[in-house]
Amino acid sequence: MAAPVVPSSLQIYNSYVEDPKWQTKFTIIWCSGVALAVAVSVPSLILGLRHGRSLKGIVGISETNGYRSAHSDGQEPPPTSRRGRRLVGAWNALVSPTYWSPPGLGLNLGQIIVLSAYLTAVLVCIIKDAPLISNPNRAGFLALAQFPVVFLFATKNSILSLLLGPGNGYEKLNFMHRMAGRAMFLAGCIHGSLWIRNHLQYGLSILGPQKETSGVASLALLCIIVLTSLRPVRRLFYEYFFVIHILTYVAFFVTICYHTIYASPWIFPPLAFYGADVLLRLFRYRIKDATLTAPDAHMTLIRVHNCDDGWLAGQHVRLRIFFSNRVFESHALTILSAPPSHSCLSSPGFLLAARSDGDWTRALNNYTRKEQERLRINEKSESDSAAFVQVMLDGPYGGSSVDLGLYESVLLIAGGSGVTFTLGLLDDIIGRCVKLGRSQGERTRRIEFTWCIKSFGQIEWFAPMLIDIATAASNSTIDLHISIFVTCLCDPEAVPHIPNSIVTLSRPSVQDLLKDFISLSPISENEDSVEIRLDESQKSHGLGGGVAVCASGPESLTREAQNAVARLGLTMSMDVGGIALHTELFTL
């Protein structure tokens, strides 16, 4: 006769047997989500590997002496496959609503959906069939299960960034790191507060025994980590935030291992992710000579010597400049030029720009102007001299998720110093079409470059580069137009002549810019409407070849660009062959 079975309703809940199962279920859920994202990105990854974009710069900046003399492309872009473009257009049209971004959140609809699904999975795994009031261990187990997610989405050299393809660097994945950290905090608060309640109810000591004391210490450290990582604290006191973040997480690792023996298996994946990150950083570190020039009190230009290859346009590096007492500070700066192998600049190289917008950038600008003045006095020269320094590079990272060469029409929009991102993209695509002769089948025919600034004097920062690029494009099959919008009537006489450009005193609407760009204006003559019959080549020039939109700058501008693309209807998006969007926003 079989032994009697105790009914499930009368069985004592064994959290040390049941709760680890929910850890496993949760891990399967988020791993499945990551696998789905990777699967969707496979076509982009394969295309990036084929064009040499996916692994570019994985071992850092290199020296190849790859400069080539400029020559005109002299050939038309390859014909566009209508069927393929319609498929791409349909896919882009389907995902475009996820670009919609409400004000104040710093997230788009797609990210909100992902975060909501993640938080729902965490809460379901905590609550489902768990007697939390009497035994809140489930929440503690789920807090431990957040460790791999926190570190996978935090490291700069993440395997996930490589699998998702170009343009999906750590800065694009960081929103998941923050959500996983807050989910860990939520689960830890549920676990800790309910245990404290039970101890108070039954008169048990909260501090004293190792398990209780280490648990309270762990929760306190977790509170410090979360509170000091809120956006206002990060923006106002970033250096303090960074130091506190690192030290408290190390202490949190120690205390959580003292608190429970079930923590150790969840510690190993974060250590592996962090170890891989440190190893790849060692390959990417470079110490180089550089020269600094300051055109005015608001901008510092940095030219790093002996850097010829190893980056994609739009990528950034973590830069550490050895000057004054700022040796231990590093900052993210976008590379504003293409590699010399196909750059259109008359003096190509590895160029960076730092706008005076914080303590470090202001100190750098002051140091540069003082050094330039000292050199002018010593050399008795009227020309601007450059200050020599040594720098440390860590990178490159990030970049554009959109390969502009796959689209016939390109709209680049920048606000303020965000032009460093779009200027690099412009130099790259013009160089690929002009200097490299469309060697990878670039289809780009038409480019609209838009820059919004506060004063006319800011044009001088990058006017020489814009002139070089516009001159190279004028002798090619690319139709490049540059629009500069100035929002303040300051120093209007300081407007350099840039070929095929227009300067306007107004603030543009991104939605209007996009609509004007993708639409073919009707042609009329006098008062009579004239019907124009377009041949196939003219039609493909205007419609069907796809539109790439890249926006960089303040949050208001990138949000406006996202909403402008999201508002376009399915039919319009498919008619133009799809609208791809990439936005670049550096925020703490």
Side-chain angles (χ1 to χ4, degrees):
M1 177 181 290
V5 178
V6 178
S8 58
S9 59
L10 300 178
Q11 293 179 5
I12 298 176
Y13 183 81
N14 190 341
S15 65
Y16 297 105
V17 173
E18 297 298 325
D19 292 345
K21 296 178 182 178
W22 286 95
Q23 284 181 310
T24 303
K25 292 177 182 178
F26 172 75
T27 303
I28 292 173
I29 291 172
W30 75 259
C31 286
S32 299
V34 169
L36 178 61
V38 171
V40 172
S41 301
V42 165
S44 174
L45 178 62
I46 294 175
L47 201 59
L49 290 171
R50 185 182 302 171
H51 290 172
R53 285 168 45 84
S54 293
L55 300 179
K56 191 80 167 181
I58 192 172
V59 292
I61 307 299
S62 60
E63 302 177 24
T64 64
N65 298 319
Y67 181 77
R68 303 180 187 181
S69 60
H71 67 275
S72 177
D73 57 353
Q75 61 180 345
E76 288 291 327
T80 300
S81 169
R82 291 296 172 189
R83 182 177 181 183
R85 267 302 13 139
R86 294 285 290 183
L87 290 175
V88 172
W91 169 252
N92 288 339
L94 287 174
V95 301
S96 62
T98 63
Y99 297 145
W100 179 77
S101 176
L105 290 181
L107 300 169
N108 60 40
L109 181 59
Q111 293 171 327
I112 293 173
I113 293 172
V114 170
L115 294 181
S116 300
Y118 185 85
L119 185 59
T120 300
V122 172
L123 292 176
V124 168
C125 290
I126 290 176
I127 297 171
K128 181 69 174 174
D129 300 329
L132 288 177
I133 300 298
S134 60
N135 191 338
N137 275 354
R138 174 81 65 82
F141 277 99
L142 264 296
L144 295 176
Q146 307 301 313
F147 270 118
V149 189
V150 169
F151 277 79
L152 177 64
F153 288 91
T155 53
K156 289 181 171 57
N157 296 282
S158 171
I159 184 64
L160 186 57
S161 294
L162 293 176
L163 294 176
L164 292 177
N168 291 285
Y170 69 94
E171 75 282 359
K172 295 295 183 184
L173 304 178
N174 197 255
F175 75 100
M176 275 301 304
H177 163 72
R178 293 194 295 269
M179 172 51 73
R182 289 161 187 169
M184 177 185 286
F185 176 65
L186 174 63
C189 285
I190 295 173
H191 171 71
S193 60
L194 290 178
W195 263 120
I196 291 173
R197 171 195 172 277
N198 290 344
H199 277 57
L200 293 175
Q201 181 179 356
Y202 297 108
L204 301 176
S205 175
I206 296 175
L207 295 176
Q210 176 182 303
K211 188 174 183 64
E212 282 76 2
T213 303
S214 58
V216 172
S218 299
L219 183 59
L221 288 169
L222 196 55
C223 288
I224 294 173
I225 292 172
V226 172
L227 293 177
T228 56
S229 64
L230 295 176
R231 181 181 291 187
V233 179
R234 294 199 313 270
R235 287 185 170 178
L236 295 175
F237 312 101
Y238 180 78
E239 296 298 330
Y240 297 103
F241 149 76
F242 182 77
V243 173
I244 293 172
H245 212 61
I246 299 299
L247 294 180
T248 49
Y249 239 114
V250 172
F252 180 63
F253 266 47
V254 175
T255 56
I256 203 68
C257 287
Y258 273 103
H259 177 62
T260 174
I261 60 173
Y262 293 93
S264 57
W266 300 96
I267 296 296
F268 297 132
L271 293 178
F273 294 145
Y274 183 71
D277 179 36
V278 172
L279 181 62
L280 279 175
R281 283 201 200 187
L282 293 178
F283 286 108
R284 294 190 178 197
Y285 279 130
R286 300 287 187 274
I287 295 180
K288 297 285 187 179
D289 294 325
T291 52
L292 308 177
T293 56
D296 57 29
H298 305 288
M299 177 60 66
T300 306
L301 301 179
I302 306 156
R303 177 180 290 271
V304 184
H305 303 304
N306 301 320
C307 297
D308 300 316
D309 201 6
W311 76 89
L312 294 172
Q315 288 188 312
H316 67 273
V317 293
R318 301 286 305 184
L319 180 72
R320 191 188 307 270
I321 301 180
F322 303 124
F323 77 102
S324 300
N325 58 345
R326 302 278 183 164
V327 177
F328 299 103
E329 294 185 49
S330 65
H331 294 262
L333 295 178
T334 304
I335 308 168
L336 58 86
S337 59
S341 59
H342 60 278
S343 176
C344 299
L345 305 182
S346 57
S347 181
F350 189 92
L351 306 177
L352 304 167
R355 184 173 183 176
S356 302
D357 196 32
D359 292 341
W360 183 83
T361 49
R362 280 193 290 268
L364 178 64
N365 185 269
N366 291 333
Y367 171 83
T368 302
R369 288 188 290 123
K370 288 178 181 178
E371 283 294 301
Q372 286 182 295
E373 183 64 27
R374 182 183 65 82
L375 291 171
R376 274 196 296 268
I377 295 174
N378 292 342
E379 298 174 2
K380 297 180 180 180
S381 172
E382 295 183 0
S383 61
D384 288 337
S385 302
F388 288 88
V389 293
Q390 280 195 317
V391 300
M392 176 183 283
L393 304 176
D394 174 17
Y397 299 108
S400 174
S401 59
V402 178
D403 184 356
L404 303 186
L406 300 177
Y407 298 85
E408 289 189 0
S409 301
V410 174
L411 176 61
L412 302 175
I413 310 171
S417 57
V419 73
T420 56
F421 178 78
T422 56
L423 186 59
L425 294 182
L426 181 65
D427 186 24
D428 177 73
I429 188 58
I430 297 294
R432 285 160 58 186
C433 294
V434 175
K435 295 186 65 175
L436 300 185
R438 303 181 185 270
S439 59
Q440 294 182 344
E442 283 81 4
R443 298 187 175 94
T444 308
R445 299 171 180 265
R446 185 169 58 119
I447 302 175
E448 177 70 28
F449 182 88
T450 302
W451 185 19
C452 306
I453 51 178
K454 291 183 178 180
S455 68
F456 291 93
Q458 295 178 3
I459 303 175
E460 287 288 350
W461 294 346
F462 307 111
M465 302 176 193
L466 288 172
I467 292 172
D468 289 341
I469 296 171
T471 302
S474 64
N475 300 320
S476 70
T477 56
I478 294 181
D479 178 17
L480 169 64
H481 184 261
I482 299 173
S483 299
I484 300 176
F485 293 89
V486 183
T487 59
C488 176
L489 185 58
C490 306
D491 198 18
E493 64 275 4
V495 180
H497 174 68
I498 302 173
N500 202 22
S501 67
I502 184 172
V503 179
T504 306
L505 185 63
S506 67
R507 188 190 186 284
S509 164
V510 176
Q511 186 172 1
D512 293 340
L513 287 174
L514 181 58
K515 285 185 176 180
D516 293 341
F517 184 68
I518 65 176
S519 63
L520 288 176
S521 302
I523 303 176
S524 60
E525 187 174 331
N526 297 330
E527 295 181 356
D528 297 324
S529 168
V530 179
E531 181 181 357
I532 303 297
R533 298 184 180 273
L534 302 176
D535 58 26
E536 289 301 316
S537 63
Q538 289 173 309
K539 287 181 180 178
S540 66
H541 180 85
L543 297 173
V547 176
V549 180
C550 294
S552 63
E555 186 175 347
S556 58
L557 185 141
T558 56
R559 184 177 67 249
E560 193 176 349
Q562 289 175 314
N563 293 342
V565 174
R567 288 191 186 102
L568 292 177
L570 178 65
T571 304
M572 181 177 292
S573 181
M574 292 183 64
D575 284 344
V576 300
I579 301 178
L581 174 68
H582 179 90
T583 58
E584 194 73 10
L585 171 67
F586 283 125
T587 183
L588 301 177

